[in-house]
Amino acid sequence: MFCFQCEQTAKGEGCTKIGVCGKQPDVAELQDVLVYALKGLAQVANEGRKVGVRDEDIDHFVCEAMFSTLTNVDFDPDRFVELIDRCVEQREQLKKKVGSAGGWTDYTSGPATFIPAPTKEEIVAQGENFGPEAQKPVLDQDILSLRETLTYGIKGVCAYADHAAILGKTDEKIFDFVHEGLAATLDDNLGVDDLLGLVLKCGEINLATMELLDSANTGAYGNPVPTEVPLGAKKGKALLVSGHDLKDLEQILKQTEGKGIYVYTHGEMLPCHGYPELKKYPHFYGHYGTAWQNQKKEFAEFPGSIVMTTNCIQKPQDVYHDNIFTTGLVGWPGVTHIADKDFTPAIERALELPGYDSDIDRGSVMVGFGHNAVLGVADKVIEGVKNKDIRHFFLVAGCDGAKPGRNYYTEFVEKVPEDCIVLTLACGKFRFFDKKLGTIGEIPRLLDIGQCNDAYSAIKIASALAEAFNCGVNDLPLSMVLSWYEQKAVAILLTLLYLGIKDIRLGPSLPAFVSSNVLNVLVDKFDIKPISTPDEDLKAILD
């Protein structure tokens, strides 16, 4: 195996024996086969568009399948075999439709002709031919770097598009770009400048995708409102929901009504407490735990059942193996998977487990500062800046992880001067989410914008402030200090680059899949820089 798609990749170079995330070599190879097969399906879909042939089921399938290959989503090799077989079957069916419409389908080689071997073990062996390591000897390293960057950005786009589609929101231009981008990674006629253009186009499409997802979330559950969320517990049975999927949480809340079970969030589900249509459930109580990488310890101590939605699962420990359930695209071999959204198995397990024997007070945190809430007090923000009560804004956001170096973000926030405001989103906030930073006037100094999925809110807030001050976003007293881990973060970074945002500080380490030449281009054009120390970075920003 070889995988370098996440920030924690071994030695900062690539995982070759087992993934730092827990991914086994067979799963890594199967994911490489699936991505390769999806590129072949994308080639056929592109030809189909030329003759007016498109298939909504295939559009959705490609996004789901790409999402499945993100870090910490699906670790079940059998499910990847099913996806590979389904991909090839759909490709052949689409070829017939395209051919009947007069389109070109005379492929003689490459992924559009790929046939998986008859057994799982043989398909795993095929995967050795398709990953990035197999391409190193035959490709220019800058071309490989940009192809991988584009692929990972598309994975992030597919994740956000899938979330939106679950809530009934889709956009053909997103699906069209996914096919276009995947097929482009096979085109030997595309040089560095061509691929860099596609990478930035991926950022453009991701912006549209995040806007679509924002519309889907707020359309279904209302605009988030500032909400105090308990970090303790209520006496009674308990069910914990982790991941990112709002609809799964809604279904669980509906299905647990009147059963004496309190529902808690974990990880990226924390911002769900701010949505009016979710917070109306009286048994939706509070938040438990912190970021995904701490789940082994935290889940072992949780006295109820656990449902994992979308990504962020780690290898379940024996002590809670029978208490954890997966749904949607997430999976782990041997863990009960709830495919039909009937969460009865998880509910019954919650009723069997002891739950909490008394109320527990561990304080609280505030959530719900999405773009609607922040822009609702924009006049106070603008007044605070003009009066010099607010000196600077920091967006300290992104993914958390277990790799050393992430305490930087805790220390950075702790050292931010008292006349500055910190905006945050995604699970990186768990390094400092419970810090009591106080207020500037009526405005909290720590504003939780939401999930990584809510990055659109941060962009909209920045754009509105720039408009109010009649300047560009780069001219605002705003600095972005970002942490990354997986491929949704890659897509968000590409969006910021597409928007022309400069002087982004990125850490805790730079992507291993970005070659030195490509990195130099990004530094020259966008002034991206690695984090150093909190003191040095704060001094450089504020002086």
Side-chain angles (χ1 to χ4, degrees), residues 4-9 71 152 292 397-401 403 406 409 427-428 481-491 493 505-514:
F4 60 1
Q5 70 174 4
C6 86
E7 190 274 332
Q8 291 189 179
T9 192
T71 303
Y152 303 149
W292 64 270
C399 312
D400 203 2
K403 191 174 178 180
R406 290 182 179 269
Y409 297 94
C427 66
V481 183
L482 307 180
S483 56
W484 80 282
Y485 173 66
E486 43 90 302
Q487 297 75 64
K488 285 186 286 185
V490 174
L493 178 62
R505 283 170 168 77
L506 184 65
S509 61
L510 297 176
F513 54 82
V514 174

Side-chain angles (χ1 to χ4, degrees), residues 159-199:
Y160 293 136
D162 183 64
H163 282 304
I166 286 170
L167 293 173
K169 294 282 188 178
T170 61
D171 186 338
E172 288 185 353
K173 74 179 179 185
I174 296 169
F175 298 131
D176 290 348
F177 175 76
V178 168
H179 298 313
E180 175 193 353
L182 287 175
T185 64
L186 303 164
D187 190 344
D188 293 332
N189 294 316
L190 299 179
V192 168
D193 289 342
D194 300 309
L195 288 168
L196 186 59
L198 282 166
V199 163

Side-chain angles (χ1 to χ4, degrees), residues 275-382:
Y275 285 95
E277 290 302 309
L278 296 176
K279 63 184 294 182
K280 69 182 183 182
Y281 292 90
H283 62 299
F284 185 28
Y285 179 66
H287 185 79
Y288 173 86
T290 52
W292 64 270
Q293 76 275 4
N294 301 318
Q295 67 187 250
K296 291 182 179 180
K297 179 178 185 297
E298 293 171 352
F299 287 0
E301 297 172 353
F302 187 72
S305 61
I306 303 154
V307 177
M308 294 295 305
T309 74
T310 65
N311 53 321
C312 291
I313 193 171
Q314 288 187 297
K315 181 181 180 180
Q317 303 299 287
D318 291 343
V319 67
Y320 63 85
H321 185 278
D322 294 340
N323 302 341
I324 190 169
F325 302 81
T326 62
T327 190
L329 301 179
V330 69
W332 194 282
V335 170
T336 301
H337 185 73
I338 298 173
D340 59 2
K341 304 303 181 183
D342 179 353
F343 291 99
T344 298
I347 294 169
E348 290 180 343
R349 184 60 179 157
L351 293 171
E352 293 169 358
L353 291 165
Y356 289 99
D357 58 10
S358 62
D359 291 350
I360 300 172
D361 183 1
R362 294 195 179 105
S364 63
V365 294
M366 292 293 295
V367 302
F369 295 100
H371 59 83
N372 188 70
V374 174
L375 295 180
V377 293
D379 57 335
K380 294 183 174 62
V381 174
I382 294 167

Side-chain angles (χ1 to χ4, degrees), residues 32-189:
D32 286 342
V33 173
L34 177 58
V35 171
Y36 182 73
L38 288 167
K39 290 179 178 180
L41 178 54
Q43 286 180 311
V44 180
N46 279 337
E47 294 301 322
R49 289 209 318 272
K50 294 176 183 178
V51 291
V53 174
R54 68 180 311 132
D55 188 311
E56 290 183 7
D57 290 338
I58 287 177
D59 289 341
H60 290 294
F61 169 77
V62 172
C63 285
E64 290 178 353
M66 284 294 285
F67 191 0
S68 296
T69 68
L70 259 76
T71 303
N72 290 21
V73 176
D74 193 352
F75 294 81
D76 190 336
D78 292 336
R79 286 174 63 179
F80 281 108
V81 172
E82 292 173 6
L83 288 170
I84 292 165
D85 289 340
R86 208 172 133 204
C87 178
V88 171
E89 179 183 341
Q90 291 195 350
R91 184 194 71 206
E92 293 306 301
Q93 291 174 352
L94 186 59
K95 275 185 186 178
K96 293 178 182 177
K97 293 179 183 178
V98 174
S100 297
W104 186 85
T105 60
D106 296 330
Y107 301 94
T108 58
S109 63
T113 65
F114 169 73
I115 301 297
T119 68
K120 177 171 66 179
E121 292 72 22
E122 290 173 302
I123 300 174
V124 169
Q126 287 179 310
E128 297 175 3
N129 301 314
F130 303 135
E133 186 74 355
Q135 303 302 309
K136 282 185 176 181
V138 297
L139 272 184
D140 175 88
Q141 296 308 294
D142 297 332
I143 295 293
L144 175 62
S145 173
L146 287 167
R147 285 183 179 184
E148 291 302 301
T149 302
L150 179 56
T151 299
Y152 303 149
I154 289 172
K155 288 188 180 189
V157 169
C158 287
Y160 293 136
D162 183 64
H163 282 304
I166 286 170
L167 293 173
K169 294 282 188 178
T170 61
D171 186 338
E172 288 185 353
K173 74 179 179 185
I174 296 169
F175 298 131
D176 290 348
F177 175 76
V178 168
H179 298 313
E180 175 193 353
L182 287 175
T185 64
L186 303 164
D187 190 344
D188 293 332
N189 294 316

Side-chain angles (χ1 to χ4, degrees), residues 118 124 158 198 218 248 306 369 393 442 470 499:
V124 169
C158 287
L198 282 166
T218 57
D248 284 341
I306 303 154
F369 295 100
F393 298 90
E442 300 176 12
N470 194 28
L499 291 170

